[in-house]
Amino acid sequence: MLARASINKWRLVPAIERGDLRGAVTVSLRKTLISEYILTILMFIFTAVLTTFTSPPADFGIDEGDDPDVF
């Protein structure tokens, strides 16, 4: 994702600022921005799945003989 962002910053955006509005430059910029958005969403989904399904077991310190209403 950082590589795509650096391509945007150092090649595609300066080309547009110089007035090079060829279809290839704008299409490339559009594709890299869309791919960055998709990668960001996938990272959020991946993080949500990992934190939901791989949480440590909830023990809360209750032993078999303890009264659970005390806690």
Side-chain angles (χ1 to χ4, degrees), residues 20-62:
D20 187 7
L21 297 176
R22 294 178 300 166
V25 173
T26 56
V27 169
S28 293
L29 182 62
R30 185 178 303 130
K31 285 182 180 180
T32 57
L33 289 175
I34 290 171
S35 67
E36 285 179 24
Y37 292 137
I38 291 171
L39 285 172
T40 303
I41 291 169
L42 288 175
M43 284 192 304
F44 282 132
I45 291 171
F46 182 70
T47 303
V49 168
L50 281 181
T51 57
T52 301
F53 294 120
T54 60
S55 298
D59 185 17
F60 299 116
I62 300 173

